[in-house]
Amino acid sequence: MEILWFLIAMGLVAAVVGPFVRRRRGGIRQVAPGSPDAADPDAYEFVRQEDLDVRLPGPDQDLLDVLDVVQRTQDWRAAAQLLAGTAKEGEVRWQRVQAFAGAASLELQQKPGVGGAWLRAWRADSPKDAGGAQIHAEFLVQQAWRSSAAGTDEFRIILEEARSVCGDAALLSPGDPVPYIVELAVARGLGYPHERFDQLWAKIIDRAPDHMGAHLAALHYWCEKWHGSREEADRFATASAARAPKGSLLAALPLFAVYEHLPEVALVRDFYGSAVVSKAMEGALYAVHAARPDDPMLAHVRHLLIHFLVGGGRWSEAMHQLVRVDGYVGALPWTVDEDPAAQYATYRALAVAGYEANGGNPATLPR
């Protein structure tokens, strides 16, 4: 709690960065609006770049409505009510905790010293509220990654406080995997030994064995740039996909493992057509086809598929994913860029150009 007050008081301002290493994109550039070569989003009923929502991967109107109320009135009670009515074990609760924490963090960045005051009031007025504790823990995690360099004393102090709040949140909501999922980012930042990480992971698997968001967070730990290797990340992703139940998006996890280890420059002539990448892409496409239409993680997989399908010149398939997620860009791979909307719009323009160059047009694109 003390760190939350400290962060509010100090008004930590930092450039918005994700907990991922930013990659070069091979010099892809977007032409200026109005250029004869520019793709017209209106022709496909796409949302214009300036109107893309960078907060979410896909629609959650209840969340957006409550966020509007909370930020307009600075009254936390609507958020508490929404989380109280959101199932513990599902993906939606985790996404909403992330969204509320991100909103508070962004407010603090925009209004140092006063932004995010509703979260401070929530924790002070209702310290036993499980939802408030979970958001507080995730807020601290996001602040550590955004405001401090990994490995510094400040970074570790904030993450250690986040770990303490995770423990409090877990006691307030037995059976809820979210406090432990939040701690996965703490484990990555503080460098938990593998044995300790496995113990944390076991608590999540006991509560929500097929939680896609948890698997994505765990995958980051096993990546080469953190505390594993390319082989360990691939092994974790492949094993998770193999034991996934029918209709689970965990079948797409190997594609996320490939993404986390993309080379700075592809050393093979047809990187996106290589056996490893092709297999991961087909697994993700299968997962999307088999998933429930209302699966809250579906948009995450579609966004990553767009990146790979465009890279592989599979224009028609990329367009079929685009029409199902357009309007929202709060997901990988766009969020690792300084301007997620611009990065997404660039790939969208490439998909449109490739689609039309091969005979496609708005009339031939089913929705």
Side-chain angles (χ1 to χ4, degrees), residues 150-172:
T152 63
D153 288 343
E154 182 185 20
F155 178 81
R156 296 188 65 86
I157 288 171
I158 298 174
L159 283 187
E160 286 169 358
E161 178 66 13
R163 179 170 57 193
S164 175
V165 178
C166 285
D168 295 340
L171 292 175
L172 292 170

Side-chain angles (χ1 to χ4, degrees), residues 343-359:
Q343 184 71 357
Y344 169 83
T346 298
Y347 274 76
R348 184 176 66 184
L350 288 169
V352 170
Y355 181 65
E356 293 182 348
N358 285 274

Side-chain angles (χ1 to χ4, degrees), residues 97-258:
V97 166
Q98 287 182 298
F100 281 123
S105 181
L106 184 58
E107 280 187 38
L108 179 59
Q109 178 181 319
Q110 295 172 340
K111 299 178 180 179
V114 296
W118 55 269
L119 179 55
R120 179 183 60 186
W122 189 347
R123 295 293 285 138
D125 296 345
S126 187
K128 300 299 183 182
D129 185 277
Q134 292 173 7
I135 293 171
H136 179 190
E138 175 64 16
F139 169 84
L140 290 170
V141 166
Q142 294 193 25
Q143 284 298 109
W145 290 104
R146 288 176 172 172
S147 65
S148 312
T152 63
D153 288 343
E154 182 185 20
F155 178 81
R156 296 188 65 86
I157 288 171
I158 298 174
L159 283 187
E160 286 169 358
E161 178 66 13
R163 179 170 57 193
S164 175
V165 178
C166 285
D168 295 340
L171 292 175
L172 292 170
S173 185
D176 192 332
V178 169
Y180 302 104
I181 299 175
V182 176
E183 192 178 347
L184 290 173
V186 176
R188 178 160 52 92
L190 295 182
Y192 282 17
H194 288 184
E195 182 179 357
R196 183 174 181 181
F197 184 87
D198 288 339
Q199 292 170 352
L200 172 61
W201 182 241
K203 294 177 182 178
I204 296 170
I205 293 300
D206 286 345
R207 291 162 175 80
D210 304 321
H211 199 291
M212 180 70 170
H215 280 77
L216 290 175
L219 177 63
H220 298 151
Y221 174 91
W222 290 113
C223 286
E224 188 174 58
K225 60 180 175 282
W226 290 109
H227 308 293
S229 66
R230 191 179 301 246
E231 293 72 25
E232 286 173 303
D234 180 68
R235 185 161 54 247
F236 173 79
T238 302
S240 299
R243 63 172 176 263
K246 184 178 180 179
S248 170
L249 286 167
L250 287 175
L253 203 61
L255 187 64
F256 286 86
V258 170

Side-chain angles (χ1 to χ4, degrees), residues 9-332:
M10 296 299 293
L12 295 173
V13 180
V16 178
V17 296
F20 310 105
V21 176
R22 191 179 175 203
R23 303 174 178 84
R24 289 178 292 180
R25 299 297 179 180
I28 295 173
R29 298 180 184 275
Q30 187 174 13
V31 297
S35 165
D37 296 322
D40 183 2
D42 291 338
Y44 291 87
E45 299 181 3
F46 287 147
V47 175
R48 301 200 72 82
Q49 178 180 325
E50 60 269 23
D51 296 323
L52 291 168
D53 194 323
V54 301
R55 299 170 296 177
L56 301 173
D60 184 345
Q61 196 57 50
D62 289 340
L63 171 64
L64 293 177
D65 290 344
V66 169
L67 263 177
D68 178 66
V69 170
V70 170
Q71 294 185 306
R72 179 164 38 84
T73 66
Q74 291 296 297
D75 189 333
W76 54 268
R77 286 174 292 183
Q81 184 177 6
L82 180 65
L83 279 186
T86 305
K88 290 180 180 179
E89 67 280 358
E91 307 278 355
V92 174
R93 185 178 183 87
W94 169 230
Q95 291 191 20
R96 288 175 172 175
V97 166
Q98 287 182 298
F100 281 123
S105 181
L106 184 58
E107 280 187 38
L108 179 59
Q109 178 181 319
Q110 295 172 340
K111 299 178 180 179
V114 296
W118 55 269
L119 179 55
R120 179 183 60 186
W122 189 347
R123 295 293 285 138
D125 296 345
S126 187
K128 300 299 183 182
D129 185 277
Q134 292 173 7
I135 293 171
H136 179 190
E138 175 64 16
F139 169 84
L140 290 170
V141 166
Q142 294 193 25
Q143 284 298 109
W145 290 104
R146 288 176 172 172
S147 65
S148 312
T152 63
D153 288 343
E154 182 185 20
F155 178 81
R156 296 188 65 86
I157 288 171
I158 298 174
L159 283 187
E160 286 169 358
E161 178 66 13
R163 179 170 57 193
S164 175
V165 178
C166 285
D168 295 340
L171 292 175
L172 292 170
S173 185
D176 192 332
V178 169
Y180 302 104
I181 299 175
V182 176
E183 192 178 347
L184 290 173
V186 176
R188 178 160 52 92
L190 295 182
Y192 282 17
H194 288 184
E195 182 179 357
R196 183 174 181 181
F197 184 87
D198 288 339
Q199 292 170 352
L200 172 61
W201 182 241
K203 294 177 182 178
I204 296 170
I205 293 300
D206 286 345
R207 291 162 175 80
D210 304 321
H211 199 291
M212 180 70 170
H215 280 77
L216 290 175
L219 177 63
H220 298 151
Y221 174 91
W222 290 113
C223 286
E224 188 174 58
K225 60 180 175 282
W226 290 109
H227 308 293
S229 66
R230 191 179 301 246
E231 293 72 25
E232 286 173 303
D234 180 68
R235 185 161 54 247
F236 173 79
T238 302
S240 299
R243 63 172 176 263
K246 184 178 180 179
S248 170
L249 286 167
L250 287 175
L253 203 61
L255 187 64
F256 286 86
V258 170
Y259 174 78
E260 290 299 331
H261 296 91
L262 283 180
E264 289 289 326
V265 178
L267 299 181
V268 295
R269 183 173 183 180
D270 184 14
F271 172 76
Y272 290 96
S274 64
V276 171
V277 177
S278 294
K279 183 179 179 180
M281 289 173 67
E282 294 308 319
L285 286 166
Y286 169 80
V288 165
H289 178 75
R292 301 189 328 269
D294 62 344
D295 191 312
M297 293 300 293
L298 189 54
H300 286 272
V301 181
R302 291 191 189 279
H303 279 291
L304 192 63
L305 270 170
I306 290 166
H307 170 87
F308 279 92
L309 291 169
V310 169
R314 297 166 64 169
W315 315 116
S316 180
E317 291 171 286
M319 291 294 287
H320 279 74
Q321 302 304 322
L322 278 163
V323 297
R324 288 163 175 80
V325 299
D326 193 69
Y328 300 88
V329 295
L332 284 176

